[in-house]
Amino acid sequence: MTPEPSGKVRALVIGAGPAGLMAAEELTKAGHQVMIAEAMPTPARKFLMAGKSGLNLTKAESPAAFFSKFRGPDAPDFGQMDFGPDDVVRWAENLGQPMFTGSTGRVFPTGMKASPLLRAWLARLIESGAGLRTRWRWVGLAGGFHFATPDGDAMLQPDVTVLALGGASWPGLGSDAAWVPTLQQAGVSIAPFRPANMGFHVAWSAPMKKVVGQAVKGVAIHAGNLIGRGEWVISQAGIEGGGIYELAAAIRDGMPATVDLAPDVDHVSLAARFARPKGKLSLGNWLRRVLGDPVKVALLLEWGQPLPDDPAGWAARTKALPLQHAGPMPIDRAISSAGGIAWSAVTPELELRALPNVFVAGEMLDWEAPTGGYLLTGCIALGRHAGRAAARRLAE
């Protein structure tokens, strides 16, 4: 049964991204009538964007290793939500989407796209009785949940509500944090948003222009005890890509980072390579013979000043090249955001202390995790947790 477009509804979910859709799924599974309200013309736009280059749904790791990547002030142990990588795979396959695990442990649908999974997910929700309203923007709490819709103002008075409106990154896809003033006025504590899974500005010198757009492969980035081996890209604005995002939070928060341009070669062996006579070769050609990669050479010449003058010095600089940047790229260019609703503002069931019977999920909360399957799994797990809690409240 499709909920009425205004007035009294049993359960309301605001936001049709992964967290909101999973909350709606749990509510419908419990037999409750659900209405999903989405501000954008179509649901899950950020989810679809993430799937354009292959939907990395999760990562095949033990729960302990997987959830160790999650962070946030006073954030709970995400592993206690009892929905990890294996559970996500089973859930997707139950939607008729076969999955495969790549060589790095990242898990994708065999079709490498988000759209088939989303279509199957929405179809199952609609068949279960959920109603979806698009272009319904939540604008206030006076007298209930007030919406601006294509047909004018609407007011809903749900028994329970799950908010899953996203954070503050990619505002063009719906995550614009427009909900912040409304919740702050209601007494909800909200931490300032910061970019997460973002690149860093670098003021490149003129010689670096020849490698702009090229990938940096086969290197390791060290930031404190963290090590990232993923690829990243030299862009016009700086450095971006998965290999940067792995350590972006630590670097953003002030942790110095170094790049090992030859992580699979020990210092002694590398020094021996640099001891080979340079002869009449130019410095650039000599370094290319030693390192075998013009992109690595460009980075060494860019960040390695003053340049060493002996083999041991060249090896040391190559193994610990200072990563020089001018700060993180802005939040509207970030993959995700840190900050949001403080964990002290919610119960362990993700219910807002200031607004009884209102639950929250996804990137609205103050947590972050890297791309590579962690972030998406976290959003789905939070949506499931909030949806189950809301269903239990209705059962009471």
Side-chain angles (χ1 to χ4, degrees):
M1 180 171 60
T2 301
E4 292 300 320
S6 63
K8 189 69 176 176
V9 295
R10 189 68 169 146
L12 171 65
V13 174
I14 306 180
L21 294 179
M22 182 56 84
E25 180 170 311
E26 291 299 325
L27 283 157
T28 58
K29 281 167 61 177
H32 301 298
Q33 188 184 56
V34 182
M35 176 176 169
I36 307 167
E38 167 58 44
M40 301 300 286
T42 54
R45 287 195 163 192
K46 190 174 177 182
F47 179 75
L48 290 171
M49 179 63 74
K52 277 196 169 181
S53 57
L55 181 66
N56 183 190
L57 195 59
T58 192
K59 190 169 184 182
E61 289 182 330
S62 70
F66 186 86
F67 289 112
S68 70
K69 306 295 196 305
F70 291 66
R71 55 184 283 172
D74 303 317
D77 177 3
F78 275 61
Q80 294 179 353
M81 294 181 190
D82 195 29
F83 197 74
D86 292 343
D87 302 295
V88 174
V89 170
R90 283 192 291 270
W91 166 79
E93 290 179 339
N94 284 336
L95 281 169
Q97 304 300 309
M99 308 296 289
F100 78 94
T101 302
S103 59
T104 62
R106 296 182 178 187
V107 182
F108 303 84
T110 55
M112 293 295 288
K113 292 182 179 180
S115 52
L117 189 152
L118 179 61
R119 285 195 298 269
W121 197 1
L122 290 171
R124 187 163 73 181
L125 283 169
I126 300 303
E127 289 170 4
S128 299
L132 174 63
R133 301 288 185 272
T134 57
R135 294 187 173 92
W136 273 52
R137 178 170 290 277
W138 177 43
V139 293
L141 278 169
F145 285 84
H146 182 199
F147 291 87
T149 84
D151 299 318
D153 292 346
M155 186 73 72
L156 297 179
Q157 295 176 323
D159 292 324
V160 297
T161 301
V162 178
L163 302 179
L165 291 132
S169 66
W170 292 56
L173 299 180
S175 297
D176 56 9
W179 50 267
V180 169
T182 300
L183 291 187
Q184 283 181 324
Q185 290 168 13
V188 178
S189 177
I190 297 175
F193 281 107
R194 299 180 294 162
N197 288 301
M198 68 292 170
F200 290 84
H201 289 293
V202 180
W204 298 120
S205 67
M208 286 295 292
K209 292 181 180 179
K210 64 180 180 295
V211 293
V212 165
Q214 296 192 36
V216 183
K217 304 178 181 180
V219 306
I221 301 177
H222 296 255
N225 294 325
L226 301 175
I227 303 175
R229 290 292 301 261
E231 293 182 15
W232 39 287
V233 174
I234 297 171
S235 71
Q236 192 72 42
I239 51 178
E240 303 180 69
I244 297 296
Y245 304 155
E246 287 181 52
L247 294 87
I251 299 172
R252 177 201 63 206
D253 294 343
M255 183 72 71
T258 60
V259 182
D260 184 346
L261 297 175
D264 299 318
V265 183
D266 62 63
H267 184 280
V268 173
S269 300
L270 191 58
R273 294 185 186 181
F274 279 110
R276 297 170 185 168
K278 177 173 173 291
K280 295 182 179 181
L281 293 172
S282 67
L283 177 61
N285 285 334
W286 176 65
L287 290 174
R288 276 191 287 275
R289 286 199 175 184
V290 175
L291 296 177
D293 185 340
V295 177
K296 292 182 180 181
V297 172
L299 285 171
L300 181 56
L301 294 174
E302 182 77 3
W303 286 342
Q305 304 291 336
L307 297 176
D309 56 9
D310 66 288
W314 277 110
R317 191 65 50 82
T318 301
K319 298 289 289 181
L321 184 67
L323 191 157
Q324 301 173 20
H325 65 88
M329 292 183 181
I331 198 166
D332 61 359
R333 188 167 172 167
I335 301 298
S336 60
S337 57
I341 297 172
W343 290 97
S344 60
V346 299
T347 69
E349 297 297 292
L350 303 183
E351 183 179 15
L352 287 172
R353 298 184 190 277
L355 294 170
N357 300 321
V358 178
F359 301 80
V360 293
E363 287 190 65
M364 293 182 75
L365 288 154
D366 187 8
W367 66 283
E368 59 184 309
T371 56
Y374 303 100
L375 183 67
L376 193 46
T377 294
C379 287
I380 293 172
L382 285 167
R384 176 177 179 268
H385 191 78
R388 288 191 163 193
R392 286 193 295 270
R393 179 61 51 81
L394 288 175
E396 294 171 1

